[in-house]
Amino acid sequence: MADQDIQSILREDREFPPADSFVGKARIDAQRYQELCAQAEKDPQEFWANLAREHLHWHKPFKVVLDESDAPNYRWFSDGELNVSYNCLDVHLAERGDKTAIIFEGEPGDVRRLSYRDLHAEVCRFSNGLKALGIVAGDRVVIYMPMVPEAVVAMQACARIGAIHSVVFGGFSANSLRDRIEDAGARLVITADGGHRGGKVVPLKQATDEALASGCETIEKVIVLRRSGEDIPMKDGRDIWWHQAISGQSDRCEPAWLNAEHPLFLLYTSGSTGKPKGIQHACGGYLLNAKLTNLWVFDLQDNDVFWCTADVGWVTGHTYVAYGPLAAGATIVMYEGAPTVPDSGRFWKICQDHQVTVFYTAPTAIRALMKFGDEVPAAYDLSRIRLLGTVGEPINPEAWMWYRRVIGNENCPIVDTWWQTETGAIMITPLPGVTATKPGSCTHPLPGIFADIVDQDGNTVSDPDKGGFLVIRKPWPGMLRTIWGDNQRYLDTYWEKFGRRFYVAGDSARRDKDGYFWIMGRIDDVLNVAGHRLGTMEVESALVAHERVVEAAVVGRPHDIKGESIFAYVVLQGERPVGDEALKLVQELRGWVSKEIGPIARPDDIRFADNLPKTRSGKIMRRLLRTIAKGDEITEDISTLENQAILEQLRGTS
Ligand code: WTA
């Protein structure tokens, strides 16, 4: 990482003190915050142990807080036993069994409400259905579903019986699904006939059939939820309808009491190499950080209605939809479809109709909705909203200010939350009743999270505004435990860079003169497209899998709405096409990548060249490609470039 890469260009002086409506009323006020920080400083293990005893129900209390014997494969509360689903559902039955747990709205407009009691019964029935199919603790179950309550039911049921779920985002293709099923060695897939998205039906069962036809030997059964109502083929002996799987099952199911370190889920995410990593989380530690951050950062109170717009296919949909808010006893909103169906007011209409009080979404969605103008949200009553959040990528100050002014009516705090699939829960964020916010900064680490910024040698960067590597100095309960089936990759990716001294997040960051953290972006070859992580290598591998493609290099290009868009340089077999033929092939390749990985990975731009710019040692000059993609003046040293003539082709001018 060259220094000029991490020079920050963002300067922001506006500051917004915590809203009056929050000061003194929030779950965490300034005094409590100071206490928590002091306790965490003094004895981090005691700090987490106290919180774990206070906030989680333990079937068998733990004595060991942190087992460091195999560091950095840390183990938390490792002699304790609990059940995540019990902690999300059963604990609420006595006091708030009739409270609404989920308000669901489908894209076509159908609405369903499930109380905690209803949800508990559904989860138990489905757990019993899973058991009847022979699923036992430790089995891997892949969930490939639309954003409907049954997706949460499926996750919670796995947690209840100790099966390890791996949710695959419904926007991923059959090939991506197959790779994830095979890596996890799953026995069961839970899917639906189809889900509603963007006015169309996403054919999930059909993609599942395609995936299974091309491998996935370990899969024994497929459970299919009827959602879109299509006529779909069911394979005898393999496929079972959801309603048949639960038919006759009891609405009670004794939870499996599991060791705190028992894996709760795998979630595949992009890294800098082609193969997605199965990030593995453990029951006890994950649940603790998930619950605490819902209480602390979103300040969830008994009458709140919390809407996190993330799909359960991403980690945000795990921690702030399926687990954390339920552990906190909150009411959540789930919406199945796209934000622009039937029109660009859909999100705001949902906020109005279901009286949303806390709203959490991605900067890319804010930027997209901002484009439609202030009149769209102004047509809805958003007056109940009291807190706003963002996640997934840096938010530009302009979008932040719009969010605050138009959605937050100038008086809602905004929590810009930094975290990762790997961290399990929010790590660096404002606290709404404590922190003065600055547009674009995720402000400060939470109590107990020892974040720092270090230079190439691992020394703390203390100069204000100088960039460096974002690291976490001490283990925390919600951290990933390993990469499924590849602990070496876990060590290499997150720990080796600085001799295992701290967790390396893979982001660059700076601290301003007031000590505020500003995330500057990834330091590896990971793209952040519309808040979703994609490895450049994944897209490149998909491209070269096409028969006409010899070589491909993919870079990110700044994009107004998506943050980054995908720009691909492609070397073809045979003649370089021009004119209509080139346009046709561009379309074909875009469709190809979409099929290989999913529509989110479809390149926005593809440019053909006779070869790629390489150094004498054969390394693709990615920085040069980024510059060209942006359309900027080339300032890179191109003297080592083998074939200077291709620059014109890369620029698209020849
Ligand atoms: C980026 C999503 C700036 C970052 C929860 C991180 C952010 C990656 C923010 C993780 C934020 C996430 N400000 N950048 N508030 N939140 N990121 O695993 O690059 O899908 O490493 O987890 O998103 O993406 P992931």
Side-chain angles (χ1 to χ4, degrees):
M1 186 175 64
D3 231 17
Q4 70 221 55
D5 273 347
I6 52 171
Q7 285 299 312
S8 169
I9 43 154
L10 249 173
R11 287 288 174 275
E12 176 59 59
D13 297 321
R14 284 170 290 202
E15 204 176 307
F16 297 89
D20 291 342
S21 52
F22 267 83
V23 177
K25 285 189 219 135
R27 281 183 182 271
I28 305 293
D29 60 12
Q31 192 195 337
R32 178 81 182 121
Y33 175 67
Q34 293 304 337
E35 280 166 20
L36 287 168
C37 289
Q39 287 163 8
E41 276 300 329
K42 186 162 159 257
D43 187 343
Q45 291 194 36
E46 191 54 26
F47 168 80
W48 290 118
N50 287 337
L51 291 166
R53 287 188 198 105
E54 183 192 343
H55 287 276
L56 301 183
H57 172 274
W58 293 90
H59 181 70
K60 175 173 171 251
F62 58 88
K63 290 206 185 67
V64 180
V65 180
L66 174 63
D67 174 358
E68 301 180 274
S69 60
D70 218 4
N73 288 110
Y74 294 99
R75 298 162 57 82
W76 284 90
F77 318 124
S78 57
D79 58 347
E81 282 177 12
L82 81 174
N83 182 280
V84 168
S85 158
Y86 185 92
N87 272 281
C88 292
L89 302 172
D90 305 51
V91 294
H92 305 306
L93 291 183
E95 270 177 40
R96 41 173 103 78
D98 294 324
K99 178 174 174 175
T100 303
I102 299 180
I103 305 172
F104 166 72
E105 185 166 315
E107 195 180 75
D110 49 319
V111 172
R112 255 165 81 196
R113 281 192 170 68
L114 284 91
S115 66
Y116 270 91
R117 202 180 314 287
D118 299 334
L119 185 60
H120 176 262
E122 293 291 333
V123 169
C124 286
R125 257 185 230 118
F126 195 67
S127 301
N128 289 326
L130 292 177
K131 283 197 204 166
L133 291 178
I135 300 297
V136 297
D139 282 346
R140 273 81 62 208
V141 172
V142 164
I143 299 176
Y144 185 57
M145 293 188 77
M147 219 17 217
V148 294
E150 283 81 0
V152 173
V153 171
M155 294 163 82
Q156 286 281 347
C158 287
R160 196 163 188 91
I161 67 171
I164 305 166
H165 64 67
S166 174
V167 183
V168 177
F169 173 54
F172 278 125
S173 68
N175 289 348
S176 299
L177 175 63
R178 179 200 55 214
D179 294 348
R180 285 159 173 76
I181 290 173
E182 290 189 341
D183 191 80
R187 290 183 67 196
L188 172 74
V189 181
I190 306 171
T191 187
D193 47 1
H196 299 281
R197 176 97 200 165
K200 296 191 210 119
V201 170
V202 185
L204 296 166
K205 172 61 162 57
Q206 189 189 316
T208 306
D209 286 341
E210 264 175 56
L212 299 196
S214 65
C216 307
E217 306 282 291
T218 51
I219 293 292
E220 295 162 33
K221 300 277 178 201
V222 178
I223 298 182
V224 188
L225 175 76
R226 201 182 320 262
R227 165 68 188 150
S228 60
E230 257 76 52
D231 213 4
I232 50 157
M234 296 288 280
K235 189 168 168 184
D236 253 0
R238 188 196 72 183
D239 300 351
I240 310 136
W241 287 107
W242 176 291
H243 51 267
Q244 283 163 353
I246 58 169
S247 142
Q249 296 296 350
S250 159
D251 58 6
R252 282 166 187 242
C253 173
E254 173 73 9
W257 298 114
L258 302 164
N259 185 280
E261 278 296 307
H262 183 80
L264 176 63
F265 65 82
L266 312 179
L267 186 59
Y268 284 82
T269 189
S270 299
S272 51
T273 69
K275 198 170 161 243
K277 309 176 272 199
I279 303 299
Q280 182 180 322
H281 280 285
C283 291
Y286 170 80
L287 187 64
L288 179 62
N289 282 130
K291 179 171 178 181
L292 287 176
T293 50
N294 274 274
L295 294 173
W296 291 357
V297 181
F298 296 114
D299 190 50
L300 293 180
Q301 309 279 352
D302 213 31
N303 52 359
D304 272 317
V305 177
F306 179 38
W307 185 18
C308 162
T309 66
D311 189 280
V312 289
W314 308 107
V315 74
T316 310
H318 284 58
T319 310
Y320 301 100
V321 179
Y323 290 113
L326 298 180
T331 298
I332 61 166
V333 170
M334 276 180 91
Y335 169 56
E336 178 187 31
T340 46
V341 174
D343 58 51
S344 54
R346 187 64 182 268
F347 268 16
W348 317 127
K349 181 162 183 351
I350 292 173
C351 287
Q352 168 189 277
D353 292 355
H354 302 303
Q355 312 198 330
V356 169
T357 59
V358 181
F359 181 69
Y360 187 35
T361 196
T364 183
I366 299 168
R367 286 192 295 265
L369 295 171
M370 189 173 125
K371 292 252 156 161
F372 295 104
D374 299 6
E375 330 64 87
V376 181
Y380 299 95
D381 177 8
L382 303 178
S383 61
R384 289 189 184 250
I385 296 181
R386 64 183 196 99
L387 175 59
L388 297 169
T390 70
V391 60
E393 57 188 308
I395 183 165
N396 48 314
E398 191 199 352
W400 196 100
M401 291 303 295
W402 182 85
Y403 200 32
R404 177 181 153 84
R405 182 172 58 80
V406 179
I407 308 305
N409 194 25
E410 312 263 14
N411 58 24
C412 295
I414 298 180
V415 289
D416 174 348
T417 63
W418 178 88
W419 62 295
Q420 310 177 289
T421 305
E422 292 87 341
T423 67
I426 295 169
M427 303 285 278
I428 310 181
T429 178
L431 287 167
V434 179
T435 317
T437 52
K438 301 185 187 189
S441 168
C442 54
T443 74
H444 303 292
L446 284 171
I449 303 299
F450 295 85
D452 199 0
I453 296 168
V454 301
D455 64 18
Q456 200 58 254
D457 304 318
N459 300 316
T460 295
V461 173
S462 35
D463 299 355
D465 294 325
K466 190 161 182 291
F469 298 88
L470 180 62
V471 300
I472 314 293
R473 289 188 168 275
K474 291 194 166 98
W476 66 102
M479 68 194 299
L480 79 166
R481 295 304 190 258
T482 185
I483 291 174
W484 179 258
D486 198 350
N487 197 54
Q488 191 57 48
R489 192 170 173 199
Y490 165 75
L491 300 173
D492 293 344
T493 309
Y494 305 107
W495 296 95
E496 294 303 352
K497 181 159 182 66
F498 298 108
R500 300 194 179 186
R501 280 187 294 154
F502 19 73
Y503 169 85
V504 185
D507 283 350
S508 57
R510 66 181 170 96
R511 246 177 311 218
D512 69 14
K513 60 182 189 333
D514 304 321
Y516 279 57
F517 282 71
W518 298 75
I519 307 297
M520 294 158 65
R522 299 289 306 179
I523 49 176
D524 51 17
D525 288 327
V526 173
L527 304 171
N528 194 328
V529 180
H532 299 139
R533 273 164 71 173
L534 287 170
T536 51
M537 276 279 288
E538 276 173 89
V539 185
E540 289 165 8
S541 321
L543 281 165
V544 296
H546 187 278
E547 54 177 12
R548 293 238 12 221
V549 177
V550 176
E551 210 183 0
V554 165
V555 297
R557 176 167 90 148
H559 185 279
D560 271 4
I561 291 176
K562 294 195 267 191
E564 261 184 320
S565 71
I566 299 178
F567 201 113
Y569 298 90
V570 170
V571 179
L572 296 169
Q573 210 135 42
E575 282 283 288
R576 190 168 64 94
V578 285
D580 280 354
E581 200 200 330
L583 285 179
K584 222 178 109 206
L585 193 58
V586 165
Q587 288 313 329
E588 183 177 328
L589 290 175
R590 296 179 73 218
W592 172 264
V593 174
S594 183
K595 180 157 187 303
E596 288 284 305
I597 305 176
I600 43 167
R602 184 190 293 133
D604 278 32
D605 300 271
I606 297 182
R607 217 165 262 174
F608 301 118
D610 291 334
N611 45 51
L612 295 174
K614 290 190 187 157
T615 61
R616 301 279 145 140
S617 63
K619 280 195 84 163
I620 293 177
M621 300 168 78
R622 288 178 181 279
R623 182 121 59 86
L624 173 66
L625 290 177
R626 276 195 286 269
T627 304
I628 297 173
K630 270 200 252 172
D632 283 358
E633 197 71 38
I634 294 175
T635 54
E636 284 78 14
D637 176 11
I638 50 169
S639 59
T640 56
L641 186 61
E642 290 241 30
N643 176 1
Q644 303 254 351
I646 62 157
L647 281 179
E648 291 308 311
Q649 296 177 4
L650 297 169
R651 282 210 191 94
T653 50
S654 97

